[in-house]
Every structure is written in structure tokens, then in C-alpha cells.
Amino acid sequence: MFETLTKAPQDKIFALMAEIAADDRPGKIDLGVGVYKDDEGDTPVMSAVKKAEERMLATARTKTYIGVAGNKAFCNAMVDLALAGAAPADRVRAVQAPGGTGALWIVLTLLKRARPDATVWISDPSWPNHKPMAEQAGFRVEAYPYFDPATRSVRFEQMLAKLDTLGPDDIVLLHGCCHNPTGANLTPAQWDEVVASLSRTGAFPLVDLAYQGFGDGLEEDAYGARAVARAIPEFVLATSCSKNFGIYRERAGCAIVAGKNATAADIANSQMLNIVRGAYSQPPDHGAEIVRTILEDKELRAEWQAELEAMRQRMVANRQALADAIRARSNSSDFDFVAEHRGMFSLLGLGVETVNELKAQNAVYMLDDSRINIAGLADERIQRLADAIVGATR
Ligand SMILES: Cc1ncc(COP(=O)(O)O)c(C=O)c1O
């Protein structure tokens, strides 16, 4: 049977994790995998999550099947969290998904059924899983201009010029906030222009919102998704609870679709249910029930928001500290962009030789494209990282 196959490529992040684990130099700095870390380098369970789990344990009465759409109260809460009424409820449907990746898979499969000959447009660069996922769904994938390595910011003019050439057979995948891998994001005014372009051309928006609350705040980070929802009658949105609830391994996310009327929304929803039923029947409940418990309870919700805000502020502070530390050593503003970026990631714009040199000389690990994860950098590590970066880029 399997002689017909060749080995599939290994995901680069998992390969890097293995490389880091094999390095026994003390003080190695891991800027690789995309999880939030505290000063000790741990990814702790949020206290609101622990409390929700305690309540669940005390009150759970059954583990019977939840249904193909999953936890409906969770889905409603996720739609509210992302869209806050920006699209009328009678046109919006949602299905619980195993993580943001699962949500992306559901909406891509839905779009393939709806528009089999469409092209999916992703940002250049994008999260490394976007292209293979869209290809696996059967789409042709192209890239629109996004990141300018010279300024380390969004090349907005070029992005918009490309989007203006698209049409109804094009699906535009947009990062809702905290762009992965670059850290460079659209401003609200730029989102408005993107939405106006999509309205003009009829190109179809797919918004990937995996980091709500990690950038500028829970409401601020939803600006783009809500601008799309207000102006464009049909769109899809994939959300994730992995990062903002810190429940990575529980696999909770939500596939959200808006149709131009209730009938269209119902049809799209029935297709999503059909897709789920034919793949894994129903999603796991535990993570979704944690999120539902938190979002529906005033006190737990406030506690979660405060914890999330503390994480966000810590990442912003780490950014400023790293930019300041590099500036102090290099006497140049070359890395000031790190403080402007938002979310967990920044693309440093280093060549692969420099990335390898940092690994070999300083035990500093980042992805080959020079993406770093800014979370988990305690002060002493920020200073050593600044030394290493300035040393390697002199
Ligand atoms: C841009 C983007 N989208 C979606 C996801 C999916 O996250 P998960 O499937 O872990 O919820 C990630 C995770 O790294 C991401 O960076």
C-alpha cells in the first residue's frame, strides 16, 4: 500500500522544537513555537479557566453526545465576542470547531463546495499552514503583497492595488489581528479601505481571528472582522480560543458564516454540519464548555479579561524593552519596529545565515524566516537577545 507514497514534509515549527530540545547549552533562548509564555517560560493555565473547570466538574451530569454543531451556547458567545452584533443575528450561523485550524478547515471546505474554481489569496508572507490548508481543500493559492522587509511594515498601497484587481471568484484570507508571522497589522483606516475594495470587487473575505485580545485589546482586535461584517453581506470567519484562553490542547474554535439572508445562512450552515458529520461527527466539548462558562458568567469573564489584558500588556512591554535594548547597543533605530508590531510575533527581517549564526553562536532559536515570539522573554533574556542580535547584524 504505502510504497506509492513519499515522506510528507515535516512542519518547520515541530522540527525547530526538536532541535531546541536537543541543545543542552544552558541559557538557550527559544523564540520558536507560537504559545504565550510567562517570565519563567511556562504556559500556565489561566485562573479563570481553572475555576471554570472546577465548576464543570462539580455540576456535570452527562458526557452524552453534544451534537454536530457542538456547544451552541459557546457558538453564540463566540459570535458575540468577535462580531458584537456587527452582522444581524438572523444572517449569522456558527459551528464549534476543533481549534482555529479546525474552523479554517470547515470554512475552506464549505467555500470549496460553494465555489470550486475560486482562488484563495493569502498574504505574503502568511501563517505557514494557510497555503497547505487551502491547497488541501483543493484551491489554487496565490499571494497578495503584504509585508515590506525594508520598512518591516505593511506595503499597503501594493496590497490594495492587488486586491482591487480581484473579483467574485477570489477568496481573500485576512488575518483579523496580530499578523502571523510578521507582527505588522492593518490600521482601522486601512481595514476600511480593504473592506471598500472587497465591496467594490465582490472578492470574498475569509477572516482568520486567532489572537483576539493579544494585540491592542479585545474590542480593538476585532475591528477588521466587524468592519467586514458591517459592510459585506456574505463572509466567513474562523476564530480560535487557543491563545486568548490559553487552552491550546483543548482544541476550541468556531467556524462562523454570514449569508446574504437567513435562507442562504441556513444553507451554508447545513453544509458545515454535513462537512463535520462526514469527518469527525462532533467536536470535543471540554474546551468549548470552559469558554462558555467563562463568557456567560460576569465574574469569571471579568477575571479572564483582566488576565488576558495582563498578558497583552506584558507582550507590549517586552516589545518596547527589546527595541530599547537593541537601540542602546547599536545606537540605531533599525529595530524600533519591534515596539510598533503587535501580537506574539515579529519578523526581524534577518537572512537565514544570520538566523543560523544566532543558533550556533548564541543558542538563540527562531524560525528560518526570522520570526520571533516575543512572549516569554524575561528581562535578562531580552538583554542577552539584544546582545546576540546586535552582534550578528553588525
Ligand atoms: C494565523 C493563525 N491562524 C490560526 C491558528 C490556529 O490555531 P489553533 O488551531 O491552535 O486554534 C494559528 C495558530 O498558530 C495561527 O497563527
Side-chain angles (χ1 to χ4, degrees):
M1 175 64 77
F2 304 122
E3 68 278 4
T4 58
L5 301 177
T6 54
K7 220 170 177 187
Q10 197 188 6
D11 189 293
K12 282 195 174 154
I13 299 208
F14 294 108
L16 185 70
M17 282 162 76
E19 217 182 316
I20 296 167
D23 183 341
D24 49 19
R25 283 176 285 178
K28 59 190 171 186
I29 299 181
D30 174 2
L31 306 169
V33 68
V35 298
Y36 178 83
K37 294 183 200 165
D38 63 15
D39 273 352
E40 280 71 50
D42 296 327
T43 304
V45 182
M46 292 170 90
S47 117
V49 166
K50 281 245 167 180
K51 287 185 185 163
E53 285 183 308
E54 279 159 18
R55 280 194 203 176
M56 286 157 58
L57 195 60
T59 57
R61 295 275 171 275
T62 182
K63 293 274 186 198
T64 188
Y65 291 122
I66 183 103
V68 182
N71 190 320
K72 292 203 176 121
F74 160 83
C75 291
N76 292 338
M78 289 301 288
V79 170
D80 278 351
L81 187 67
L83 296 179
D90 66 317
R91 293 199 288 103
V92 178
R93 302 289 180 274
V95 165
Q96 186 197 323
T101 309
L104 279 169
W105 175 78
I106 293 171
V107 296
L108 282 166
T109 310
L110 171 72
L111 294 176
K112 181 66 185 172
R113 288 184 178 188
R115 213 42 90 87
D117 296 325
T119 300
V120 171
W121 290 83
I122 61 174
S123 59
D124 176 23
S126 200
W127 181 44
N129 214 11
H130 279 150
K131 185 166 190 272
M133 285 191 76
E135 284 176 347
Q136 210 164 295
F139 286 113
R140 204 164 71 90
V141 180
E142 300 276 358
Y144 57 83
Y146 188 80
F147 186 68
D148 182 349
T151 61
R152 274 89 151 199
S153 61
V154 180
R155 356 165 152 249
F156 188 66
E157 297 297 307
Q158 285 116 303
M159 174 183 177
L160 198 62
K162 174 51 83 179
L163 295 188
D164 276 339
T165 67
L166 306 185
D169 274 334
D170 294 300
I171 295 161
V172 181
L173 199 165
L174 296 156
H175 297 230
C177 65
C178 305
H179 187 271
N180 181 3
T182 70
N185 297 292
L186 299 178
T187 63
Q190 289 172 335
W191 269 108
D192 291 346
E193 289 195 60
V194 166
V195 168
S197 168
L198 296 170
S199 297
R200 267 195 309 273
T201 64
F204 187 92
L206 187 180
V207 181
D208 179 2
L209 187 57
Y211 296 92
Q212 189 180 356
F214 266 37
D216 290 309
L218 266 179
E219 303 305 315
E220 292 83 346
D221 291 349
Y223 184 92
R226 292 175 191 174
V228 167
R230 267 191 296 272
I232 301 179
E234 300 202 317
F235 64 90
V236 292
L237 170 62
T239 65
S240 167
C241 308
S242 301
K243 326 277 168 165
N244 52 8
F245 288 85
I247 52 170
Y248 305 83
R249 63 176 61 177
E250 300 297 354
R251 314 307 299 140
C254 197
I256 299 169
V257 55
K260 60 176 173 260
N261 52 40
T263 310
D266 281 337
I267 291 172
N269 193 50
S270 71
Q271 290 288 340
M272 291 203 289
L273 296 176
N274 181 265
I275 288 161
V276 170
R277 181 69 176 143
Y280 51 86
S281 183
Q282 345 209 336
D285 187 53
H286 189 76
E289 182 59 7
I290 291 170
V291 172
R292 184 201 68 76
T293 305
I294 292 172
L295 292 180
E296 285 188 351
D297 183 274
K298 211 167 157 234
E299 266 173 42
L300 278 186
R301 188 176 178 127
E303 184 169 344
W304 164 69
Q305 268 184 232
E307 287 182 278
L308 177 60
E309 179 59 13
M311 286 156 69
R312 187 188 76 76
Q313 285 184 9
R314 194 169 163 277
M315 289 184 274
V316 172
N318 279 357
R319 291 185 170 284
Q320 191 62 54
L322 181 59
D324 289 348
I326 295 178
R327 183 187 265 271
R329 286 159 176 80
S330 66
N331 214 8
S332 93
S333 56
D334 287 358
F335 284 85
D336 281 9
F337 66 87
V338 172
E340 307 301 321
H341 287 172
R342 281 294 175 272
M344 266 195 298
F345 308 118
S346 271
L347 201 62
L348 294 184
L350 308 178
V352 72
E353 307 78 33
T354 311
V355 170
N356 286 335
E357 185 188 326
L358 285 165
K359 243 187 243 181
Q361 304 293 327
N362 308 91
V364 168
Y365 287 87
M366 62 187 74
L367 296 186
D368 278 354
D369 62 2
S370 75
R371 185 194 84 171
I372 62 165
N373 178 357
I374 200 80
L377 278 177
D379 190 55
E380 176 269 336
R381 255 171 293 166
I382 288 179
Q383 304 307 321
R384 279 197 291 124
L385 178 61
D387 283 337
I389 289 175
V390 172
T393 54
R394 260 216 175 95

